Amino acid sequence: MGRTQVAAQLAAPEGRRNPVVGAQSRPPRRHRIAVLALPGVPPFELGIPSRVFGSAHDAEGRPLYEVVVCTCDGAPVLSDAGFTVQPAAGPEALAAADTVILPPTHAMPQLGRGGPLPPEVGEAIAGIRPGTRLVSICTGSYVLAAAGLLDGRPATTHWQLAAEFRRAYPEVKVDEEVLFVDDGDVLTSAGVAAGVDLCLHIIRRDHGATVANRAARVCVVPPWRDGGQAQYIDRPVPEPTVASTTATRAWALEHLGEPLPLSRLAQHARMSLRSFTRRFHDEAGMTPVQWLTAQRLELAKQLLETTDLSIDLVAHRAGFGSANSLRSHMRTAFGVSPAAYRRTFGPPSALQLARRVDGVEVD
């Protein structure tokens, strides 16, 4: 969860904040998601939202999202796989949605040249209520850009098309090096499987780590890949005989609470420091220090969301050594302190703890 969405959540009026995981309350109204199927839609990307959000349930097993596939006029559309998609609804679903998701389309080549949307598509998108969360998967970003909804905003798309996208839509701040971009009410993802990462990120943002992790297990996918992780851009695949850092990364995840200097990681991988650092960056898309910090922040967030451990103990278990260190890293990454994060996303039993002044945690 990045600075923008954490700040937005903290600023939300009390009655509109997302329900705290584990809180006892009336069942919330299911969040309505409309997935707009356009001609030439790839079936895999079209199915991602229904599969991932359909796997998100609360502690009592109740579904948290209502996902409907719609088209601009309610009529079937031809997918790029050669079969027809029969929608459940027409453009009225877009007007009623809390979130609208745009999968890619391979049937509008004019968008790659900055051309206009077909009139029926523009009309359907114009019917979306102000304040609705907008999400694109892969080249669905072209549709948002053509509608002028990405002007001046950071966004991503499939790395192979980033140069074309940048030429067609120079007002958009394109970053092809990341899996997804969360800009608050507009979120964009890179190609294909990055759409899964973005959907899980949204669940985590809406309902916390526990719900998102359960959904990931149901879908049998990794529960978390940070949006800032590099896309798989034309990098050489290591030969089978070349040593990998995969086992060391898995080992490090089990030892995040311990000191993990670069020398210890390289020793575990049985590589020299130089070889380990180079191989790690080739495989993970970031330095060992950046990767470790990201994993430790993720563990700290999970502990803050799901336990009533003190901030000091969370910091030690996540490998930051001290509450001050954790506080500094969280403010840099998310713009909030651990206590403020816990007040918004933590379990009820931890809320009083987060409000307590323990000598160092003052908000």
Side-chain angles (χ1 to χ4, degrees):
M1 186 173 295
R3 294 176 63 98
T4 303
Q5 66 268 28
V6 170
Q9 180 75 342
L10 291 171
E14 244 353 278
R16 295 190 59 188
R17 287 187 183 174
N18 297 327
V20 175
V21 176
Q24 299 298 317
S25 61
R26 291 190 309 172
R29 177 183 67 80
R30 286 191 287 173
H31 187 99
R32 293 183 295 244
I33 297 178
V35 183
L36 180 59
L38 297 171
V41 63
F44 180 84
E45 288 90 329
L46 176 63
I48 287 173
S50 297
R51 190 69 183 90
V52 177
F53 288 107
S55 300
H57 297 79
D58 65 15
E60 285 72 44
R62 297 172 298 211
L64 292 167
Y65 297 92
E66 175 186 330
V67 185
V68 60
V69 174
C70 65
T71 58
C72 292
D73 56 4
V77 295
L78 184 65
S79 74
D80 76 342
F83 58 80
T84 299
V85 175
Q86 177 64 56
E92 70 281 356
L94 300 174
D98 302 304
T99 295
V100 170
I101 300 180
L102 289 155
T105 170
H106 295 158
M108 298 180 188
Q110 76 277 14
L111 300 187
R113 302 185 295 272
L117 289 169
E120 67 277 10
V121 178
E123 184 177 344
I125 291 177
I128 298 172
R129 289 180 295 115
T132 300
R133 182 165 58 188
L134 301 175
V135 179
S136 69
I137 297 175
C138 193
T139 57
S141 55
Y142 278 74
V143 179
L144 291 179
L149 297 170
L150 294 182
D151 288 356
R153 286 182 175 267
T156 192
T157 191
H158 196 291
W159 64 268
Q160 285 184 313
L161 298 171
E164 174 190 87
F165 189 94
R166 191 173 280 109
R167 287 192 300 269
Y169 305 102
E171 302 86 0
V172 183
K173 303 172 184 177
V174 184
D175 184 356
E176 66 270 34
E177 289 284 341
V178 298
L179 293 177
F180 58 82
V181 170
D182 182 338
D183 194 37
D185 59 341
V186 178
L187 302 91
T188 53
S189 81
V192 194
V196 176
D197 298 305
L198 180 53
C199 290
L200 286 171
H201 166 77
I202 292 171
I203 295 173
R204 180 182 299 274
R205 168 178 156 176
D206 288 350
H207 299 286
T210 300
V211 174
N213 290 347
R214 280 201 304 262
R217 284 195 293 272
V218 170
C219 296
V220 197
V221 295
W224 180 75
R225 289 197 299 166
D226 180 54
Q229 181 172 328
Q231 293 188 37
Y232 294 105
I233 303 172
D234 247 2
R235 296 191 177 99
V237 177
E239 294 294 329
T241 56
V242 173
S244 170
T245 64
T246 301
T248 296
R249 277 179 279 141
W251 172 82
L253 289 174
E254 300 297 323
H255 297 81
L256 289 175
E258 304 172 16
L260 292 174
L262 189 57
S263 57
R264 187 179 179 192
L265 296 173
Q267 183 180 29
H268 182 275
R270 299 183 179 180
M271 298 182 194
S272 69
L273 284 175
R274 183 176 179 182
S275 295
F276 177 78
T277 302
R278 183 176 63 251
R279 177 59 57 199
F280 193 104
H281 193 279
D282 286 345
E283 294 179 357
M286 62 184 75
T287 69
V289 171
Q290 290 170 331
W291 182 86
L292 272 175
T293 299
Q295 306 309 314
R296 283 171 164 158
L297 282 170
E298 179 62 19
L299 176 57
K301 287 196 303 179
Q302 290 186 23
L303 292 172
L304 291 168
E305 291 178 17
T306 60
T307 76
D308 58 2
L309 296 174
S310 70
I311 302 299
D312 279 310
L313 195 50
V314 168
H316 283 285
R317 290 197 179 181
F320 287 104
S322 70
N324 283 336
S325 177
L326 172 61
R327 200 168 290 117
S328 174
H329 279 90
M330 287 198 67
R331 287 191 184 280
T332 298
F334 311 125
V336 298
S337 69
Y341 186 89
R342 171 172 270 166
R343 278 198 295 271
T344 303
F345 299 103
S349 60
L351 297 184
Q352 277 302 113
L353 181 65
R355 293 188 177 97
R356 188 183 68 195
V357 177
D358 60 11
V360 288
E361 184 63 32
V362 182
D363 291 299

